[in-house]
């Protein structure tokens, strides 16, 4: 899935400004320039747009986890160089401290129905026989569910 889209959605859902984004990166000691952040925030058709690399999105998601949950065992998480939708989904689950039922309810908000066994397949080891690849549409619907839930809480 497009990293810039995920970055855009998370910024909108959680109302992150440039300072907050910078602090998320700092919390995991990931060096990024404000110019890069601004370039990632732009839409593709605008001059100065840059694609957000996997490692930068991984660092941002790690910063989100640290912001919401704190450091695990006092260790700063290392940003993966290559992301998959499954890894992104897992990081969001950890940051939000979501249990299966929380994810299922969020997906219901986006008119998606899923059972616990299907859901757990996304979080299995890729070598596991029942592992399931998280598709773009599924991750997009999860983000949509988060956005719809955030609108409910704002009213």
């Amino acid at each position: 899935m497009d990293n810039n889209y995920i970055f855009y959605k998370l910024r909108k859902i959680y109302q992150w400004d440039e300072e907050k984004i910078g602090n998320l990166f700092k919390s995991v000691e990931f060096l990024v320039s404000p110019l890069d952040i601004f370039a990632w925030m732009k839409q593709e058709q605008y001059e100065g747009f840059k694609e957000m690399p996997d490692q930068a999105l991984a660092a941002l998601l790690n910063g989100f986890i640290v912001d919401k949950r704190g450091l695990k065992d006092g260790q700063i998480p290392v940003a993966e160089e290559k992301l998959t939708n499954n890894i992104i989904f897992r990081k969001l689950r950890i940051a939000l401290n979501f249990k299966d039922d929380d994810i299922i309810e969020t997906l219901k908000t986006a008119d998606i129905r899923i059972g616990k066994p299907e859901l757990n397949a996304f979080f299995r080891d890729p070598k596991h026989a029942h592992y399931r690849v998280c598709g773009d549409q599924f991750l997009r619907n999860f983000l949509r569910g988060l956005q719809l839930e955030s609108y409910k809480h704002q009213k």
Side-chain angles (χ1 to χ4, degrees), residues 83-98:
L83 283 178
T84 65
N85 288 346
N86 295 66
I87 293 170
I88 294 166
F89 193 22
R90 181 181 303 113
K91 286 180 179 291
L92 290 171
R93 178 185 190 158
I94 293 167
L96 298 169
N97 200 22
F98 272 14

Side-chain angles (χ1 to χ4, degrees), residues 105-123:
E105 285 303 310
T106 298
L107 288 165
K108 275 185 192 173
T109 306
D111 294 325
I112 302 296
R113 306 284 182 253
I114 190 169
K116 287 183 183 183
E118 292 173 286
L119 179 62
N120 286 321
F122 292 126
F123 303 112

